[in-house]
């Protein structure tokens, strides 16, 4: 029993110690990473709004969309606030309950 347990632990340790095979990072990988900028928080501390840049390699262009996060809700997930393909939303500001960009 002890030998089986020891062998299992050794096999597990060797599996975890082996580095994962990964491919090299390419320029396409770098250019398609989402970029986050211009974060702003509402005066009451409830909302976080930011501009997020996405890249469309096929169209050879990037665009900015606005995203929001409800900081008052535990486990909240980011949601798109404004995402129009033909409009670049950038540099958001929150005044009261209104988001300007």
């Amino acid at each position: 029993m002890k030998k089986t347990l020891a062998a299992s632990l050794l096999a597990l340790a060797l599996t975890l110690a082996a580095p994962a095979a990964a491919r090299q990072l390419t320029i396409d990988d770098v250019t398609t990473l989402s970029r986050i900028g211009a974060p702003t928080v509402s005066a009451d501390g409830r909302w976080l709004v930011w501009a997020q840049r996405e890249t469309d390699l096929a169209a050879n262009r990037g665009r900015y969309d606005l995203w929001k996060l409800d900081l008052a809700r535990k486990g909240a997930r980011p949601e798109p606030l404004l995402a129009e393909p033909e409009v670049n939303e950038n540099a958001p500001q929150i005044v009261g309950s209104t988001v300007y960009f």
Side-chain angles (χ1 to χ4, degrees), residues 6-22:
S8 297
L9 289 175
L10 179 62
L12 179 62
L14 290 175
T15 302
L16 295 176

Side-chain angles (χ1 to χ4, degrees), residues 22-52:
R23 65 178 179 80
Q24 290 186 348
L25 190 64
T26 67
I27 192 66
D28 286 346
D29 294 332
V30 174
T31 57
T32 56
L33 288 173
S34 295
R35 293 169 183 86
I36 295 174
T40 187
V41 178
S42 62
D44 62 3
R46 177 167 183 193
W47 296 101
L48 172 66
V49 176
W50 67 92
Q52 185 166 320

Side-chain angles (χ1 to χ4, degrees), residues 50-69:
W50 67 92
Q52 185 166 320
R53 184 181 190 280
E54 302 290 338
T55 303
D56 181 356
L57 284 178
N60 194 29
R61 67 183 297 262
R63 71 174 223 226
Y64 288 91
D65 296 325
L66 293 183
W67 287 73
K68 68 177 179 177
L69 179 64

Side-chain angles (χ1 to χ4, degrees), residues 66 82 87-93 99-101:
L66 293 183
L82 192 59
V87 179
N88 278 326
E89 297 88 12
N90 206 350
Q93 296 179 6
V99 176
Y100 295 96
F101 60 93

